[in-house]
Amino acid sequence: MNAAFDARLKAELDALRAAGTYKTLKHLTGPMAAEVHMQEAGDVVVLSSNNYLGLADDPEVIQAGIDGLRTYGAGTASVRFICGTLQIHRELEERIASFFGFGAALSYVSCWSANEGLIPTIATAGNTIISDELNHASIIDGCRLAAAKRTRYKHGDMDDLERKLREADGTAFIITDGVFSMEGSLANLPDIVGLAQRYGAVTIVDDSHGTGVMGKTGRGTIEHFGLEGKIDILTGTLGKALGGAAGGFVAGSPALIDTLIQRSRTQLFSNALPATVAASSLAAINRLAACPELLDRQHANIAYFRAGLARLGFRPLDGPSAIIPIIVGDTAFAIAMSDRLLKRGVFVTGFGFPVVPEGTARIRVQMSSALTRAELDRALAAFEAVGTELGVIGNQPVGSADFKGSELR
Ligand SMILES: *Cc1c(COP(=O)(O)O)cnc(C)c1O
């Protein structure tokens, strides 16, 4: 190792430690579930995973993965268009297309890879991509790779979006998260669809945090707003509610999917989703479709936990998703609070600057259908104890109902 380069890396890591933003990995000794055993902290209740429906250790999902591995082996050791497409890929993609109500779908090894494979392929030179400023990093990076003119609109600001649409060249692509992961808020899809129709724009929604959470049957934010058939392109992950392993997809028209098969670089030059993951994800979608009680339990848990926090004097941001952010202000404070919660057996991550704007550090709770009432009560007791220790409850409400993401970036 080049000693000077290594020294530079170490100095940069020290700077992260000094700023309190250094991340430490925690090691689980078993599957992701409502409670896990963590090497560093023992048995803990998990309030910070995207395992929204508790399917990561679902017996049917696990069995499907095992069967997929037995039937297809580890993989095809090649990219899809050469000799890497398996029957299970087609089954998964047909299921994704029909489940979400699109003409066709294509799987990728992650939603990151799907966004990077989609955006530059369609947002070519002479066209314009218009992106919500709080969009996920994978959308931002996908946009950076595109030859199209790139613009951002202020978070959720429909007037700003309309201004950008008026200034757009060629085909305009509006791209947004369905559910914003740090706020738990939704994109204003009804107005976005209205503007897209007025200006002839193409709409793209990445609903990674909405899938398996929003909508009466868990089909996501599009279903929540009753906009089935009105969004042009959906991207999403299979690594959150839908089994939690990995994988992502693009759903859209057959011509779009065919274009991606021809041109999308993360599709052409990178291996397919492993068969075991394709099979377990397919089983997860089938579980969601067959078990509406998973969603009912998740919604009941969200209501129960929000009511419990309110009773203790916390004021989390409002929102309809499974994300419950408690704004505490200071980054170091958020990290200290999450450390103390972990010591009391609750795993919930604190996020600070630069992930969220300065002064809006937060504890982000994510609710899962897998959590029992007893686990939620244990978690609330820990919030009460830590809130009291840190002097943040009992005096005044914690959190800020006045916070608006749009004012802060
Ligand atoms: C989590 C997330 C991703 C990344 O998904 P992976 O499948 O893990 O790559 C992409 N977009 C959004 C909006 C996300 O929340």
Side-chain angles (χ1 to χ4, degrees):
M1 183 71 170
N2 177 311
F5 172 54
D6 212 37
R8 196 192 91 197
L9 294 180
K10 284 178 181 153
E12 286 166 5
L13 290 167
D14 285 343
L16 291 180
R17 284 189 194 92
T21 55
Y22 181 82
K23 294 170 194 63
T24 320
L25 302 180
K26 313 250 179 4
H27 299 85
L28 310 185
T29 57
M32 177 51 67
E35 284 184 62
V36 298
H37 185 79
M38 190 183 282
Q39 264 176 359
E40 294 80 1
D43 295 326
V44 296
V45 174
V46 181
L47 294 186
S48 61
S49 103
N50 302 311
N51 188 22
Y52 291 123
L53 298 172
L55 292 176
D57 68 338
D58 178 89
E60 288 181 27
V61 170
I62 293 171
Q63 190 58 49
I66 294 168
D67 294 346
L69 189 60
R70 288 239 162 84
T71 307
Y72 297 101
T76 56
S78 58
V79 301
R80 284 185 63 172
F81 85 94
I82 298 178
C83 55
T85 301
L86 303 169
Q87 172 61 15
I88 190 72
H89 291 125
R90 185 157 74 194
E91 283 174 35
L92 172 67
E93 288 161 354
E94 287 175 357
R95 188 73 179 108
I96 289 171
S98 70
F99 185 76
F100 292 103
F102 285 83
L106 191 63
S107 64
Y108 286 78
V109 291
S110 67
C111 186
W112 189 290
S113 174
N115 285 334
E116 277 204 1
L118 168 72
I119 301 167
T121 303
I122 57 175
T124 47
N127 302 302
T128 306
I129 184 134
I130 311 177
S131 171
D132 188 292
E133 67 179 343
L134 292 193
N135 276 343
H136 189 263
S138 59
I139 297 178
I140 295 172
D141 281 18
C143 291
R144 283 182 179 144
L145 295 173
K149 181 169 109 180
R150 302 188 299 268
T151 54
R152 291 189 306 172
Y153 61 97
K154 290 202 193 76
H155 175 53
D157 185 334
M158 294 296 107
D159 293 334
D160 197 32
L161 171 57
E162 182 159 15
R163 258 192 303 281
K164 301 291 176 346
L165 281 164
R166 266 196 231 108
E167 295 160 3
D169 304 327
T171 305
F173 297 90
I174 306 171
I175 186 160
T176 182
D177 282 22
V179 174
F180 289 89
S181 63
M182 288 296 145
E183 282 70 34
S185 57
L186 306 187
N188 183 351
L189 293 187
D191 285 4
I192 288 173
V193 165
L195 285 169
Q197 284 170 349
R198 188 150 355 124
Y199 290 88
V202 175
T203 46
I204 309 170
V205 175
D206 174 347
D207 209 19
S208 289
H209 281 283
T211 303
V213 175
M214 301 306 305
K216 251 208 350 244
T217 65
R219 281 162 168 81
T221 310
I222 297 172
E223 182 188 23
H224 171 83
F225 286 117
L227 290 170
E228 292 89 342
K230 299 284 198 309
I231 298 291
D232 295 298
I233 303 171
L234 173 71
T235 71
T237 185
L238 303 168
K240 289 182 173 125
L242 298 180
F249 62 86
V250 177
S253 72
L256 172 77
I257 298 310
D258 202 13
T259 302
L260 295 176
I261 292 170
Q262 312 309 315
R263 293 233 171 96
S264 173
R265 291 169 68 81
T266 52
Q267 189 71 221
L268 290 177
F269 302 109
S270 184
N271 268 20
L273 194 61
T276 179
V277 179
S280 61
S281 304
L282 177 57
I285 295 173
N286 290 336
R287 290 283 285 148
L288 167 57
C291 308
E293 63 271 18
L294 288 174
L295 272 177
D296 296 343
R297 225 180 302 146
Q298 183 195 86
H299 294 157
N301 281 353
I302 293 168
Y304 185 80
F305 203 73
R306 278 190 172 275
L309 285 174
R311 204 169 47 244
L312 295 176
F314 291 96
R315 281 201 304 164
L317 296 184
D318 255 341
S321 74
I323 294 168
I324 308 174
I326 303 167
I327 307 289
V328 296
D330 184 50
T331 301
F333 189 90
I335 290 170
M337 188 163 162
S338 102
D339 286 348
R340 282 176 188 238
L341 285 164
L342 188 61
K343 289 206 180 82
R344 290 182 179 272
V346 177
F347 183 27
V348 58
T349 307
F351 289 93
F353 183 78
V355 178
V356 295
E358 195 94 69
T360 72
R362 64 203 65 188
I363 298 289
R364 184 182 68 168
V365 174
Q366 292 174 278
M367 201 40 65
S368 168
S369 6
L371 289 153
T372 62
R373 278 295 144 87
E375 285 159 344
L376 294 179
D377 287 338
R378 260 166 56 205
L380 286 168
F383 270 87
E384 180 170 25
V386 170
T388 308
E389 265 169 37
L390 291 175
V392 293
I393 54 173
N395 308 322
Q396 60 188 59
V398 186
S400 169
D402 311 321
F403 165 82
K404 289 206 184 56
S406 57
E407 289 166 7
L408 289 153
R409 276 193 192 179

